[in-house]
Amino acid sequence: MEPITLTPHTIDALVARLGRWSAGRGPLYLLLAARLRRLIDEGALPPGARLPPDRRLATALAVGRTTVVAAYDTLRQEGRLVRRQGSGTRVARAALAPEAPRVTETSNPLFLHLLEAPDDVILLSCAAPSQPPPELAEAYRSLVLPDGDLGYHPAGLGALRTAVAGRYAARGVPTGAAQILVTTGAQQGLSLLTRLLLAPGDGVLVEAPTYPGALDLFREAAAVPLPVAVGPDGVDVAEAVRVMERHRPALAYVVARFQNPTGTVLPPLAGRRLVEAANALGVPLVDDEVLADLAFAPGKEAPSLSAYGDVISVGSLSKVVWGGLRIGWVRGPAPLIARLARLKALHDLGSDLPSQLAATRLLDDFAPVLTARTASVRAGHDHLRAELARLLPSWSCAPTTGGQTLWVRLPHGDGVSFAQLALRHGVAVLPGATTDALGGSVRHLRLHFLAPPELLTEAVRRLAAAWAEYTPGPDPERASLHGIVV
């Protein structure tokens, strides 16, 4: 269990690691004490770690101060905490902690909610299709496993690499199979790129806000984030160029189309300028294309950044087909792909072969699958916005032209503390602060619209009930990245 570093002003790491602490039965203070006890026993809160003051933690968790006081006192009586006037609350020195603290696990609610036991909580935090299309089941039913094949393909099944390369070529980006690495989902693709291209202390340009799973990987690599704000038209390219000129980062990571979490699209001229600047400065530019196919009006989206120059693209079938189909890929120069394949061989010798065969079959006739999915996400987008306008009219969120999430701004309070109250009403949302390396987005939430209409309606009803009870603390300060020891 990864140690958590806390300061009097930064407690979002602790709040995230607490997860759905309030979802069980019994008094809130006992539920909170139970989750803190587990963090202490597993070493996430090491000996001597100072816990947040009662009032500050109560505000972040949207509970009364007495709940936190009672939880702390319960653990003090067990000998796990020490509370002294003037020095605050600390983990007792008797607890055991890992000898070499290092970031080896996620602290983001986006993934932590998936690790919780199934319950009645509606997950609007992690976005992926709720069920696979019928074409996927048919692809598996028609599988013919190869003869005389060990099944180990570190770079990916040849037929699948060719199929993915063909999709790029069809969009005007000439690509050969040697330029494609098949991965176990896009997350593994990002992980391999991070391991190959980043060393401790290296700078990495990121959007603010951005996909928190990427921030996890960059923290694991002990890289230094260089955040650039995202506006209505995507990342601020002029500022991104200045950052690259000033810092020469080892990597730049962007989501150019249907940006996660804001849903913005980088205009073609801005995309060309970004690519040309990165190429001129020798900065490897990674474009996360996982959501690029989810355009509500197919054919109207901006072209791939790869059309403008040397770009490393990361893609996946998880958002169009199903998250359980763990098929992703990296597109890049053939020498880079060969290096990534050798690195991947250290970890799994190749992604699941039956899944690759099924994916190849799907890509043979992908248009019906894509058409059905985009129609579904557009309907979900319209339904969720209508329900928010009906039940939570004080919340603001701009419509998007694709993707799978809405970027919602609260009229007051902060996303972290409201998310805690929302959990107690049975719905999990992603606070904006967990996505923003600039420390902004404090009043934002990311909500996905992939659930069935009746479930989205119920989720908004629960959010409205939570909002009616919500009493925010003082205006939130600018947050920071989770304070994890690196």
Side-chain angles (χ1 to χ4, degrees), residues 459-483:
V460 177
R461 186 197 67 77
R462 295 183 187 187
L463 288 174
W467 186 248
E469 293 182 15
Y470 182 57
T471 304
D475 285 344
E477 303 172 5
R478 292 179 71 81
S480 68
L481 282 174
H482 297 317

Side-chain angles (χ1 to χ4, degrees), residues 90-139:
R90 295 181 181 273
V91 177
R93 293 286 178 182
L96 296 176
E99 294 181 1
R102 178 175 170 80
V103 175
T104 57
E105 58 190 49
T106 183
S107 63
N108 278 308
L110 182 118
F111 296 143
L112 292 177
H113 285 308
L114 297 176
L115 297 171
E116 297 279 359
D119 51 28
D120 187 42
V121 173
I122 300 173
L123 293 181
L124 294 189
S125 49
C126 191
S130 57
Q131 62 183 28
E135 291 88 345
L136 179 59
E138 178 57 33

Side-chain angles (χ1 to χ4, degrees), residues 137-461:
E138 178 57 33
Y140 274 106
R141 278 194 294 267
S142 63
L143 278 185
V144 177
L145 297 178
D147 290 327
D149 188 328
L150 291 177
Y152 295 138
H153 296 270
L157 186 68
L160 180 55
R161 298 174 75 190
T162 298
V164 173
R167 285 180 54 76
Y168 280 97
R171 297 198 296 264
V173 183
T175 304
Q179 293 177 263
I180 301 295
L181 172 78
V182 176
T183 60
T184 306
Q187 187 71 15
Q188 187 188 54
L190 288 174
S191 176
L192 292 171
L193 286 166
T194 299
R195 287 175 177 269
L196 185 65
L197 299 178
L198 291 180
D202 280 348
V204 54
L205 185 151
V206 296
E207 297 168 312
T210 191
Y211 168 53
L215 295 179
D216 268 356
L217 292 171
F218 302 149
R219 284 195 294 268
E220 181 190 29
V224 178
L226 303 170
V228 177
V230 171
D233 292 321
V235 68
D236 184 339
V237 171
E239 178 60 20
V241 172
R242 285 191 288 269
V243 168
M244 288 191 290
E245 290 174 338
R246 187 180 309 122
H247 298 283
R248 299 295 173 98
L251 180 70
Y253 169 77
V254 299
V255 187
R257 290 176 287 171
F258 312 126
Q259 200 264 353
N260 185 358
T262 64
T264 58
V265 177
L266 191 64
L269 288 178
R272 181 183 295 275
R273 183 184 177 196
L274 179 67
V275 173
E276 290 176 349
N279 290 174
L281 294 168
V283 176
L285 177 61
V286 175
D287 182 21
D288 188 332
E289 297 185 318
V290 168
L291 302 174
D293 283 331
L294 295 179
F296 297 161
K300 301 295 185 181
E301 68 273 13
S304 169
L305 290 188
S306 298
Y308 305 131
D310 293 333
V311 174
I312 303 167
S313 302
V314 177
S316 170
L317 292 179
S318 65
K319 306 306 181 185
V320 176
V321 182
W322 187 45
L325 182 66
R326 305 304 304 143
I327 295 296
W329 57 82
V330 178
R331 178 200 178 273
L336 173 70
I337 295 302
R339 294 177 63 197
L340 287 171
R342 292 193 293 271
L343 177 60
K344 179 173 164 57
L346 290 175
H347 297 279
D348 62 12
L349 296 181
S351 300
D352 178 69
L353 188 58
S355 294
Q356 293 186 68
L357 290 167
T360 305
R361 176 70 178 269
L362 285 174
L363 291 178
D364 282 343
D365 187 19
F366 199 52
V369 178
L370 181 57
T371 298
R373 183 63 70 193
T374 52
S376 175
V377 294
R378 180 169 188 170
H381 166 274
D382 295 345
H383 183 79
L384 179 57
R385 290 195 75 241
E387 291 299 276
L388 289 172
R390 181 173 68 91
L391 296 177
L392 289 161
S394 65
W395 290 16
S396 61
C397 62
T400 67
T401 58
Q404 55 187 10
T405 59
L406 290 178
W407 188 234
V408 177
R409 179 175 172 81
L410 303 177
H412 55 264
D414 71 278
V416 172
S417 63
F418 176 72
Q420 290 294 308
L421 186 57
L423 274 176
R424 296 201 289 279
H425 283 262
V427 58
V429 297
L430 185 69
T434 66
T435 71
D436 199 321
L438 271 178
S441 305
V442 176
R443 283 188 176 165
H444 284 83
L445 302 172
R446 196 198 75 171
L447 310 178
H448 79 72
F449 41 78
L450 303 182
E454 62 277 7
L455 196 61
L456 290 176
T457 295
E458 174 62 16
V460 177
R461 186 197 67 77

